[in-house]
């Protein structure tokens, strides 16, 4: 019914970055191929760089080679209650990969919601919203989030699992229909509209619900408020041509996001999937000053890796077969997941460490990380958030240009991502997913780069 009139995009997560404009961007995807050795890592959004680009979401398929991406922190059981939590989260562009110290990282703008002992993902006027990501990967397991979606047309909330090779398991909340949550899945970014289903639920904006993904090697259950709403069996996903199961099967991070699917700068198909154009003058934009989704808690329970997995250690997952990005190509190692500085990659993770006191990149990363602390703690202070004057909270945890400029490795990376703003518009079966980005000029100096994930975007062409 969708037919060739639309390109359907799998989208993996929402990336928000306020960055200095720049043109020297190198893309990486199935069409353009792999990254060059000086920007070896292919980010989740299909842009080459180092530092953050080599951490969460780094795609080994289109990186310079498989060792460019840092090994992925292994799953660990956890329960996070997001009460007064914004100050504990690091900005994704300052995080160096230490999952022992950071369970969650963020992009965009977040704030504490003291009235409900929860975290707000916020989306001020004309912004790109927010995304939080687990630092650890889950390779089969159960993850549950107690949350409230945002609301109104054009406003999309998502709770997804997203792997580095773009396997994906999703819940998507489209704000014009608060009694419906969409489920979906992708194998290596392969887009297929028919994989989406609807689950009926009481008002997702007014009520907390418990959304769970129970992910086993041979099936996935989507469980809403304790009831199995959908089951996908691996054996139903077999592709006889490729001899592969088109089933999500690689280590994946947990991501929760809020993004403006209905922004007027998006393609018509996206806006229409999102329920129509977003109203940037809606009451929420007046008070509290932004659209928001509310995250109360997330539990993660890890299951065993597939039997037969190659194991030499217990710290990280790592892709080991450059021709096979299914679960058969994943090993468990003791390799470090931590970089020394934001100019490192998987080739030289310890670079910044050896000279941390004198290296400029590591001192500048310190500067930017302290500026982020300031902004997120101003967020956590704002108990008035969401109920009154909330100027300060709308800045909370926002990636700012000044923090970007203060860090050299950081700026390098941001430049890359801003240039990705040329926008992609080809649906492919591998790698195209999640690399969709939009050019958005907020003013002469700044660009906002947005990549969507966790949703199926229909793009008219
Ligand atoms: C990847 O490239 C780096 C840098 O050229 C090199 O040091 C490393 O040995 C390569 N790794 C593999 C697996 O080819
Ligand atoms: C949304 O659209 C407005 C123009 O209406 C633009 O200024 C803004 O940058 C866009 N924001 C995003 C995140 O797409
Ligand atoms: C997390 O686990 C605790 C303890 O079992 C439970 O009380 C809570 O409801 C769970 N929360 C989620 C989001 O699953
Ligand atoms: C929400 O979506 C469901 C599933 O498509 C549909 O049955 C229902 O009528 C929709 N409700 C509204 C208010 O659009
Ligand atoms: C989409 O998925 C369905 C069910 O898995 C399958 O029958 C169909 O061939 C797929 N379509 C494409 C274009 O891959
Ligand atoms: C799910 O609901 C949305 C919104 O109501 C609708 O557009 C879509 O076609 C539905 N999908 C399925 C598979 O029924
Ligand atoms: C797929 O697996 C499920 C659960 O193990 C089983 O009930 C079903 O019969 C299998 N289907 C096929 C086509 O093998
Ligand atoms: C099966 O795999 C082949 C080869 O990778 C691919 O061209 C085809 O689209 C896949 N079929 C489906 C239904 O996805
Ligand atoms: C296992 O890892 C250690 C370092 O942690 C390394 O020295 C050893 O060679 C590895 N063994 C295998 C079989 O890869
Ligand atoms: C991996 O590291 C842990 C913690 O440092 C250590 O206890 C274990 O022996 C290491 N395993 C291997 C195979 O090197
Ligand atoms: C990857 O390895 C698995 C297990 O050996 C195999 O079934 C699958 O066909 C392989 N895929 C590719 C693309 O080589
Ligand atoms: C790859 O990136 C180029 C440059 O941005 C873009 O034109 C192309 O559409 C992308 N291809 C895919 C498959 O995403």
């Amino acid at each position: 019914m969708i037919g060739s009139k639309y390109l359907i995009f799998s989208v993996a997560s929402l990336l928000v970055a306020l960055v200095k404009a720049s043109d020297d961007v190198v893309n990486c995807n199935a069409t353009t191929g792999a990254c060059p050795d000086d920007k070896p890592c292919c980010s989740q959004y299909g842009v080459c760089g180092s530092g953050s680009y080599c951490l969460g979401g780094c795609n080994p398929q289109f990186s310079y080679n498989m060792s460019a991406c840092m090994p992925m922190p292994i799953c660990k059981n956890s329960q996070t209650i997001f009460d007064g939590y914004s100050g504990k989260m690091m900005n994704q562009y300052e995080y160096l990969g230490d999952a022992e110290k950071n369970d969650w990282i963020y992009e965009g703008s977040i704030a504490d919601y003291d009235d409900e002992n929860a975290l707000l993902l916020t989306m001020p006027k004309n912004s790109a919203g927010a995304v939080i990501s687990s630092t650890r990967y889950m390779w089969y397991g159960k993850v549950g989030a107690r949350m409230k979606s945002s609301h109104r047309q054009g406003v999309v909330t998502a709770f997804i699992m997203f792997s580095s090779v773009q396997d994906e398991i999703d819940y998507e909340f489209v704000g014009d229909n608060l009694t419906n949550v969409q489920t979906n899945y992708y194998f290596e970014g392969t887009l297929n509209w028919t994989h989406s289903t609807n689950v009926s639920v009481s008002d997702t904006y007014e009520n907390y619900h418990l959304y769970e993904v129970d992910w086993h090697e041979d099936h996935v259950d989507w469980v809403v408020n304790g009831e199995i709403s959908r089951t996908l069996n691996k054996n139903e996903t077999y592709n006889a041509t490729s001899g592969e199961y088109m089933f999500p099967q690689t280590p994946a991070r947990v991501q929760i996001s809020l993004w403006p699917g209905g922004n007027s700068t998006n393609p018509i198909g996206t806006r229409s999937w999102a329920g129509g154009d977003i109203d940037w003058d809606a009451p929420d934009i007046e008070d509290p000053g932004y659209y928001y989704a509310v995250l109360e808690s997330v539990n993660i329970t890890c299951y065993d890796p597939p039997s037969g997995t190659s194991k030499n250690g217990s710290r990280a997952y790592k892709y080991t077969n450059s021709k096979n990005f299914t679960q058969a190509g994943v090993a468990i190692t003791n390799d470090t997941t931590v970089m020394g500085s934001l100019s490192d990659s998987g080739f030289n993770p310890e670079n910044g460490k050896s000279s941390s006191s004198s290296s400029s990149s590591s001192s500048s990363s310190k500067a930017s990380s302290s500026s982020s602390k300031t902004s997120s703690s101003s967020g956590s202070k704002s108990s008035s958030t969401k109920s009154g004057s909330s100027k300060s909270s709308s800045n909370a945890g926002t990636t700012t240009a000044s923090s970007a400029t203060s860090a050299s490795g950081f700026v390098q990376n941001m430049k890359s991502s801003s240039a990705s703003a040329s926008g992609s518009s080809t649906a492919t079966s591998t790698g195209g997913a999640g690399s969709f980005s939009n050019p958005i000029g907020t003013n002469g100096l700044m660009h906002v780069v947005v990549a969507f994930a966790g949703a199926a975007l229909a793009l008219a062409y």
Side-chain angles (χ1 to χ4, degrees):
M1 65 180 177
I2 285 291
S4 60
K5 194 172 167 215
Y6 294 104
L7 287 172
I8 313 292
F9 275 78
S10 143
V11 260
S13 157
L14 162 70
L15 169 63
V16 184
L18 293 175
V19 295
K20 292 194 95 181
S22 160
D23 291 321
D24 60 342
V25 158
V26 183
N27 289 100
C28 43
N29 58 43
T31 313
T32 63
C35 293
D37 61 354
D38 61 329
K39 289 182 175 177
C41 297
C42 185
S43 78
Q44 176 170 342
Y45 309 105
V47 181
C48 299
S50 58
S52 314
Y53 286 50
C54 306
L55 294 168
C58 178
N59 191 334
Q61 290 170 298
F62 307 120
S63 292
Y64 178 68
N65 65 24
M66 273 192 321
S67 356
C69 297
M70 293 292 290
M72 305 170 274
I74 202 168
C75 191
K76 190 173 165 190
N77 292 343
S78 66
Q79 298 186 356
T80 309
I81 296 173
F82 288 89
D83 180 12
Y85 202 82
S86 72
K88 295 179 189 157
M89 293 172 75
M90 222 174 159
N91 187 285
Q92 134 140 21
Y93 295 100
E94 291 155 6
Y95 168 72
L96 291 174
D98 191 348
E100 295 293 328
K101 297 216 181 89
N102 305 275
D103 290 326
W104 296 91
I105 51 180
Y106 73 91
E107 300 169 56
S109 129
I110 56 172
D112 288 333
Y113 183 19
D114 292 350
D115 293 357
E116 297 192 0
N117 303 321
L119 182 78
L120 293 178
L121 281 76
T122 76
M123 186 163 69
K125 186 166 185 169
N126 290 333
S127 82
V131 56
I132 73 162
S133 306
S134 66
T135 55
R136 291 180 179 279
Y137 287 67
M138 189 171 100
W139 199 20
Y140 303 117
K142 185 171 190 173
V143 55
R146 230 172 93 75
M147 59 185 284
K148 293 181 186 174
S149 75
S150 194
H151 66 166
R152 290 183 167 266
Q153 69 181 44
V155 179
V156 181
T157 311
F159 164 40
I160 72 172
M161 300 294 307
F162 188 65
S163 91
S164 297
V165 297
Q166 309 198 336
D167 289 345
E168 194 173 332
I169 306 172
D170 299 352
Y171 283 103
E172 295 151 2
F173 308 82
V174 176
D176 73 329
N177 189 330
L178 300 175
T179 57
N180 186 47
V181 55
Q182 303 187 15
T183 73
N184 211 344
Y185 74 94
Y186 302 91
F187 167 73
E188 292 185 6
T190 301
L191 317 164
N192 188 325
W193 182 256
T194 70
H195 294 168
S196 175
T197 73
N198 288 316
V199 179
S200 169
V201 63
S202 77
D203 193 322
T204 60
Y205 170 77
E206 289 294 339
N207 307 305
Y208 284 108
H209 294 290
L210 176 59
Y211 304 94
E212 292 171 293
V213 170
D214 193 5
W215 184 29
H216 296 261
E217 190 180 340
D218 65 347
H219 74 279
V220 187
D221 287 330
W222 284 258
V223 185
V224 179
N225 296 326
E227 262 181 49
I228 298 180
S229 304
R230 176 183 190 181
T231 298
L232 171 71
N233 287 310
K234 182 172 184 174
N235 63 5
E236 294 159 16
T237 65
Y238 189 66
N239 179 333
T241 310
S242 64
E244 287 181 326
Y245 290 93
M246 301 184 75
F247 180 82
Q249 56 186 275
T250 49
R253 294 189 299 162
V254 181
Q255 299 191 305
I256 294 132
S257 62
L258 175 63
W259 56 279
N263 206 57
S264 62
T265 49
N266 290 339
I268 183 68
T270 308
R271 284 144 61 194
S272 122
W273 173 78
D277 283 7
I278 198 167
D279 177 3
W280 284 124
D281 296 314
D284 287 1
I285 296 296
E286 301 299 317
D287 180 14
Y290 40 71
Y291 286 108
Y292 57 90
V294 189
L295 178 63
E296 194 253 10
S297 57
V298 175
N299 289 0
I300 295 174
T301 306
C302 312
Y303 297 155
D304 288 340
S307 61
T309 298
S310 152
K311 267 193 203 175
N312 182 16
S314 54
R315 199 185 276 172
Y317 305 118
K318 193 176 170 181
Y319 290 94
T320 56
N321 183 338
S322 63
K323 298 198 162 55
N324 196 324
F325 293 100
T326 66
Q327 74 172 21
V330 179
I332 296 177
T333 77
N334 252 12
D335 294 1
T336 183
T337 64
V338 186
M339 295 189 300
S341 82
L342 287 168
S343 51
D344 289 350
S345 72
F347 301 152
N348 55 1
E350 306 291 335
N351 251 14
K353 274 191 176 160
S354 52
S355 59
S356 62
S357 52
S358 57
S359 113
S360 69
S361 56
S362 87
S363 71
S364 59
S365 96
K366 214 171 264 161
S368 70
S369 115
S370 71
S371 77
S372 121
K373 218 164 251 154
T374 313
S375 61
S376 26
S377 61
S378 83
S380 47
K381 261 189 283 168
S382 55
S383 51
S384 59
T385 297
K386 192 184 139 357
S387 48
S389 64
S390 44
K391 268 268 141 54
S392 67
S393 68
S394 65
N395 289 328
T398 305
T399 305
T400 62
S402 57
S403 78
T405 1
S406 67
S408 56
F410 196 99
V411 167
Q412 177 68 28
N413 296 331
M414 300 320 265
K415 275 184 183 163
S416 313
S417 83
S418 93
S420 84
S422 46
S424 73
S425 49
T426 323
T428 62
S429 53
T430 45
S435 63
F436 176 82
S437 41
N438 261 357
I440 303 143
T442 50
N443 62 43
L445 296 171
M446 308 288 295
H447 280 194
V448 179
V449 176
V450 193
F452 306 95
L457 299 185
L459 302 184
Y461 73 102

